[in-house]
Amino acid sequence: MIADIPLTPILAKLFEGLLATLLLSLLAFVLGGAMGLLVLFARVGHWPLARRISRAYIQLFQNTPLLMQMFLVFFGASMAGYSISPWTAAAVGLTLYTSAYLAEVWRGCVEAVPRGQWEASSSLAMGYVQQMRHVVLPQALRLSVAPTVGFSVQIVKGTAVASIIGMTELSKIGSMLANATFQPFLIYGLVAAGYFILCWPLSMAASHLEKKLNAAR
C-alpha cells in the first residue's frame, strides 16, 4: 500500500538525485557552451581545414545516440588505461554533445544575419574580426537566446541517459527506489515531477523570449 511507504526518506533520496541532475546539466551547459563557441568560430571562419573539422565534429555528435557517446567515453577511457567515474564520463559525454548542438544552433543564427549587414560593415573598412564583434555577433546573440534556452531543456532530460553507465542522478535513484519499494508508479511519478520542476521554467522562459523577440521585430 502506498500509505505504508515512508515518503520522507524517498523524497530525500530523490532530492539528492535532483541536485545531481541539476549540477550535471549546468556543467554540461557551461562547458558545452564554451566549447560550442570555439566550434562555431571554426565553422564560420575563413580557414577551410577548420571548417571541415568542425563540420565533421558536429555531424559526429548529431548523428550518433547520446547513449553510445557516453558508453564510448566511459569504456574507452578504461580501455586506454584510465579509470574515470561514471559522473566524469557523463559530464564529458554530455558536454561534447551539447557543444556540437549549440555550435550548430548558433551557426544558424549567425547565418541568419542579413548579408547586407556584412556588406555595410565592409564598406566601413571593418575587418572580419571587427565585423563579427560589432555587427554580426550582437544580432546573432539576439536571435539565439530563445533556441539556446529551449535546448537547455534537452540537456536536462539528456542527463537521464547517464544512469545507464551507473551515475546516480535522478532517474537512477528513481529506478533503485522503485525496485526497493515495489511501487514503480509512485516513484516514477515523483521522478517525472522532478524533471518537470527543472524543465518547465526553462520551457516557459524560451516561449516568453520567443514571443518577446517576435514582438520586437
Side-chain angles (χ1 to χ4, degrees):
M1 296 293 293
I2 293 179
D4 297 330
I5 299 175
L7 285 179
T8 301
I10 288 176
L11 292 175
K13 292 298 293 183
L14 290 175
F15 184 70
E16 291 179 11
L18 189 73
L19 290 180
T21 295
L22 178 61
L23 180 59
L24 179 59
S25 302
L26 288 173
L27 184 65
F29 185 80
V30 173
L31 296 182
M35 288 184 62
L37 279 176
L38 297 178
V39 177
L40 167 67
F41 291 139
R43 185 75 175 83
V44 301
H46 290 314
W47 300 278
L49 179 60
R51 289 202 303 269
R52 285 195 292 269
I53 292 174
S54 61
R55 183 167 57 249
Y57 176 88
I58 291 171
Q59 292 297 321
L60 173 65
F61 287 99
Q62 281 193 334
N63 295 295
T64 56
L66 177 58
L67 173 61
M68 295 299 101
Q69 296 166 21
M70 287 194 180
F71 269 133
L72 290 174
V73 171
F74 185 60
F75 294 108
S78 299
M79 293 178 63
Y82 298 98
S83 178
I84 63 175
S85 67
W87 206 102
T88 302
V92 171
L94 197 58
T95 295
L96 295 174
Y97 169 85
T98 300
S99 67
Y101 270 86
L102 286 181
E104 190 67 0
V105 168
W106 294 339
R107 180 191 66 82
C109 295
V110 167
E111 294 185 352
V113 175
R115 200 64 202 170
Q117 298 291 322
W118 290 88
E119 296 170 355
S121 57
S122 295
S123 67
L124 296 174
M126 286 187 178
Y128 177 76
V129 174
Q130 290 177 312
Q131 287 178 313
M132 290 292 291
R133 179 181 176 183
H134 298 293
V135 179
V136 178
L137 288 183
Q139 296 181 67
L141 176 63
R142 177 177 172 272
L143 295 172
S144 69
V145 171
T148 300
V149 175
F151 179 71
S152 64
V153 175
Q154 302 303 317
I155 298 175
V156 175
K157 293 189 293 185
T159 60
V161 178
S163 64
I164 303 298
I165 60 173
M167 179 183 169
T168 52
E169 41 68 65
L170 182 56
S171 62
K172 181 68 172 181
I173 290 178
S175 178
M176 293 188 295
L177 288 173
N179 292 333
T181 62
F182 302 102
Q183 293 290 341
F185 187 82
L186 170 65
I187 299 301
Y188 287 121
L190 292 172
V191 169
Y195 281 110
F196 183 82
I197 289 170
L198 292 177
C199 294
W200 183 75
L202 296 173
S203 296
M204 292 298 99
S207 178
H208 174 73
L209 287 169
E210 186 174 3
K211 291 179 181 177
K212 189 174 181 180
L213 291 174
N214 288 336
R217 289 178 181 177

